[in-house]
Amino acid sequence: MKVLVVGSGGREHAIVKKLKESPKVTEVLAAPGNAGIAREARVVPVEVDNLSGLLEIALREKVDLTVVGPELPLTLGIVDYFNEHGLLVFGPGRDAAQIEGSKSFAKELMRENGIPTAFYETFTDYNEAREYVYRKGVPIVIKADGLAAGKGVYVCQELEEAVKALNDIFVKRIFGAAGNKVVIEEYLEGQEVSVLAFTDGETVVQMVPAQDHKRVFNNDQGPNTGGMGAYAPAPVYTPEIAERVQREILLPTLKGLKRRGITYRGVLYAGLILTREGPKVLEFNARFGDPETQVILPLLKTDLVEIMLAVVEKRLSAVNIEFLPKACATVVLASGGYPGKYETGKVIHGLDRLPPGVVAYHAGTAFNGDDIVTAGGRVLNITAVGDTLKAAVELAYEGVKAVSFEGMHYRTDIGQKALKLQ
């Protein structure tokens, strides 16, 4: 099989690497890819939102399966577009991808189907939203409704922060049209966990649970990012909680979409918070998480292509999905200034000196002559598998020591919440 992977980040690098392990795969193409992906796949310089350009490649190259990494092409309808041309794609259609593309759509779906989530209201007017915040008080959570690359969520502990968030979204319009509407939610307390599941619309199979680290600095300080590191499995997510999530969240979500005439196929990602009352949904994503994918796929024992084909062909119940009884950790190396303004083009040193067992998934890299240079906010995901989480975390940080670039910063506490539980 020839497989096309759409995307250019660490998630896509991890997907490419995993697909290449399958005996079914003869070649992997990636669009647009990055410097790391280029060492494992044939990269094609077509951006993820250029659907006609991507279709042209898929048809010209006679691609057997397309795997979509990021949310943007999904919400633009790449799956429907490719299907119309007789092509197989792993991922949800445009209607189903609204679960991520519009936070208000997801919240309404949850409200309709009794799926546990934070109480919320939606607003399109700055003054009304501000008045509501003053009435409700803090802590409070403010979210831009549309896609904002993981940066559109404000957890506000002070009223001034909440007003600034509304000002950013409505007045400064830092997220553009994604901020035409905001969702304002009650603040929930508890540990967060990322639960990704394969589904063909009927069967739902949870992957190993992961925990992401969204804030930029240690001890969950500073602004939200796309994710500064992750580990799996998350010990806080017990088999009892997993069973409850299946029953109260994942299956009712699929049934609720079905009632709206939508069949969801692909990866359904539930960002959960484990409250005193039980698990509640913070957000849904319509694809593999980033950086969670980088710690989940290295633990996947079953052939990923087998699973993806079973999802596309609606026969997931026939596949036995297994994970290794090990742990995996990844540390994100970011550009100086991220998640704010940052410079690119910094030469990366030490990628050839990684300790055995450490993998560097490339998130934002490019070639400059023979050098590999930084090309994004999140640059590398230094990843390791171990028999225990402690071993995986220690090995990943050994890998971090080998790598350097000007302005590089990273969190030094990835996995610590879990290690304290053990």
Side-chain angles (χ1 to χ4, degrees):
M1 288 180 70
K2 198 185 266 195
V3 185
L4 168 64
V5 175
V6 175
S8 62
R11 162 185 48 215
E12 288 76 27
H13 194 177
I15 291 169
V16 165
K17 221 171 174 53
K18 200 70 189 177
L19 290 171
K20 286 188 73 186
E21 290 176 14
S22 172
K24 286 185 157 53
V25 173
T26 50
E27 187 179 13
V28 180
L29 285 83
N34 61 38
I37 292 171
R39 292 181 161 178
E40 326 231 10
R42 181 151 57 94
V43 297
V44 194
V46 177
E47 291 304 319
V48 300
D49 58 351
N50 181 356
L51 302 196
S52 57
L54 292 167
L55 178 71
E56 198 181 304
I57 296 162
L59 292 172
R60 186 179 71 227
E61 294 285 346
K62 297 186 170 56
V63 164
D64 299 294
L65 176 68
T66 298
V67 179
V68 185
E71 57 276 20
L72 181 58
L74 292 169
T75 57
L76 291 173
I78 187 171
V79 174
D80 316 68
Y81 185 50
F82 274 40
N83 287 168
E84 282 162 20
H85 289 82
L87 295 168
L88 285 186
V89 192
F90 178 82
R94 186 202 294 235
D95 286 351
Q98 287 180 94
I99 205 162
E100 176 169 7
S102 166
K103 292 189 175 64
S104 54
F105 172 90
K107 295 296 276 191
E108 282 159 22
L109 181 75
M110 288 186 264
R111 189 182 267 175
E112 273 170 28
N113 294 281
I115 294 160
T117 188
F119 179 79
Y120 76 101
E121 292 291 345
T122 57
F123 297 89
T124 53
D125 179 82
Y126 169 77
N127 290 321
E128 284 176 19
R130 192 176 64 169
E131 197 178 297
Y132 179 80
V133 165
Y134 276 121
R135 202 164 65 244
K136 281 286 176 187
V138 287
I140 202 160
V141 180
I142 296 171
K143 299 177 175 180
D145 182 61
L147 296 179
K151 301 183 190 83
V153 177
Y154 297 79
V155 180
C156 308
Q157 303 291 344
E158 306 288 338
L159 276 173
E160 298 79 58
E161 285 177 75
V163 172
K164 182 188 178 301
L166 292 173
N167 201 48
D168 281 354
I169 299 168
F170 278 131
V171 182
K172 291 185 182 167
R173 298 190 59 76
I174 66 169
F175 304 115
N180 288 347
K181 192 190 283 187
V182 299
V183 172
I184 302 182
E185 294 183 347
E186 68 171 314
Y187 173 77
L188 296 175
E189 280 197 57
Q191 278 215 48
E192 291 183 32
V193 63
S194 302
V195 176
L196 281 65
F198 293 111
T199 179
D200 60 2
E202 297 290 337
T203 302
V204 188
V205 182
Q206 295 183 38
M207 302 179 214
V208 288
Q211 196 164 53
D212 180 16
H213 299 63
K214 288 194 173 67
R215 299 296 190 101
V216 69
F217 302 125
N218 282 5
N219 304 314
D220 298 331
Q221 299 297 306
N224 268 334
T225 69
M228 291 298 291
Y231 64 88
V236 71
Y237 190 77
T238 62
E240 293 74 29
I241 295 173
E243 199 276 321
R244 195 169 165 186
V245 166
Q246 190 83 351
R247 190 178 68 242
E248 295 178 11
I249 294 170
L250 298 176
L251 289 169
T253 299
L254 293 178
K255 284 181 185 144
L257 286 167
K258 267 234 160 86
R259 272 194 284 276
R260 289 182 175 218
I262 298 168
T263 299
Y264 191 105
R265 283 197 294 277
V267 171
L268 179 61
Y269 165 151
L272 304 177
I273 187 159
L274 307 180
T275 73
R276 281 200 198 94
E277 297 90 55
K280 294 187 179 184
V281 178
L282 291 173
E283 64 174 0
F284 280 118
N285 291 327
R287 36 73 195 181
F288 278 110
D290 188 343
E292 292 92 344
T293 304
Q294 292 89 302
V295 294
I296 292 171
L297 288 187
L299 300 175
L300 179 64
K301 202 169 159 188
T302 310
D303 186 328
L304 181 58
V305 177
E306 284 277 6
I307 299 168
M308 288 179 164
L309 289 174
V311 164
V312 172
E313 294 163 4
K314 295 185 235 176
R315 51 175 181 82
L316 187 59
S317 60
V319 180
N320 181 30
I321 298 177
E322 292 182 288
F323 288 87
L324 298 168
K326 291 175 181 268
C328 187
T330 191
V331 181
V332 172
L333 305 185
S335 293
Y338 175 81
K341 285 198 175 73
Y342 55 84
E343 292 179 3
T344 58
K346 309 295 181 188
V347 177
I348 302 167
H349 305 280
L351 287 170
D352 54 348
R353 294 196 297 273
L354 291 171
V358 175
V359 174
Y361 292 121
H362 289 230
T365 64
F367 285 110
N368 182 6
D370 291 337
D371 292 328
I372 292 180
V373 298
T374 65
R378 293 187 294 173
V379 178
L380 295 163
N381 313 138
I382 307 298
T383 310
V385 172
D387 288 330
T388 64
L389 181 60
K390 189 169 184 289
V393 167
E394 283 173 3
L395 185 54
Y397 277 109
E398 280 302 308
V400 168
K401 284 181 197 163
V403 181
S404 65
F405 56 85
E406 189 192 320
M408 175 175 115
H409 74 97
Y410 57 92
R411 282 181 59 160
T412 59
D413 63 348
I414 301 304
Q416 288 310 308
K417 278 183 194 158
L419 293 174
K420 280 173 191 158
L421 282 176
Q422 290 178 343

